[in-house]
Amino acid sequence: MSFDVLIIKPSGVSVEDLSEVAAVDPLGDISFVESAINSAFPGAVNGVWLSEEFSVEALINGTPAESAQITLRFGNSWSEASEANFLSFLSSICRKIDAVAFSVSDNSKLAP
């Protein structure tokens, strides 16, 4: 199964749902955003990061970076602990780049 996440920096407002976002600020320089993602998921940007429980692929959009998309893929070994681990890594990325992660499937805020 797969799950898509969008990382953006909503302009000047604290939002809990992606549908509430009216405008976004840049995330920053591409190398800065790539470094933040790679600190949690080495090699995931334009590649794949693998663990025994799940894999992560990431793309950065725009120059400077306007958004990042993370695709999480998981199978039978996925568990509540796996989810907590993924969300912890995702929160770490968001804190480093001062951004917010949303679920693409239901627009809900995931991190931080």
Side-chain angles (χ1 to χ4, degrees):
M1 295 176 63
S2 67
F3 183 76
D4 291 316
V5 175
L6 180 65
I7 299 175
I8 59 174
K9 189 182 290 190
S11 295
V13 194
S14 176
V15 296
E16 294 299 317
D17 190 277
L18 186 57
S19 65
E20 298 172 4
V21 176
V24 297
D25 294 329
L27 296 175
D29 183 72
I30 290 174
S31 61
F32 170 70
V33 176
E34 183 173 353
S35 175
I37 293 171
N38 281 335
S39 69
F41 305 114
V45 177
N46 299 319
V48 178
W49 176 86
L50 298 167
S51 77
E52 292 181 14
E53 303 163 283
F54 58 93
S55 67
V56 171
E57 299 172 49
L59 296 172
I60 300 170
N61 304 301
T63 305
E66 297 171 1
S67 66
Q69 180 176 339
I70 292 180
T71 299
L72 166 70
R73 298 188 194 285
F74 56 94
N76 294 334
S77 60
W78 184 255
S79 65
E80 287 183 18
S82 303
E83 180 180 9
N85 194 23
F86 172 74
L87 291 175
S88 174
F89 285 137
L90 188 60
S91 292
S92 172
I93 293 167
C94 288
R95 283 190 297 274
K96 286 180 182 179
I97 59 177
D98 191 30
V100 182
F102 295 95
S103 164
V104 173
S105 64
D106 67 3
N107 293 340
S108 62
K109 181 179 174 182
L110 298 172

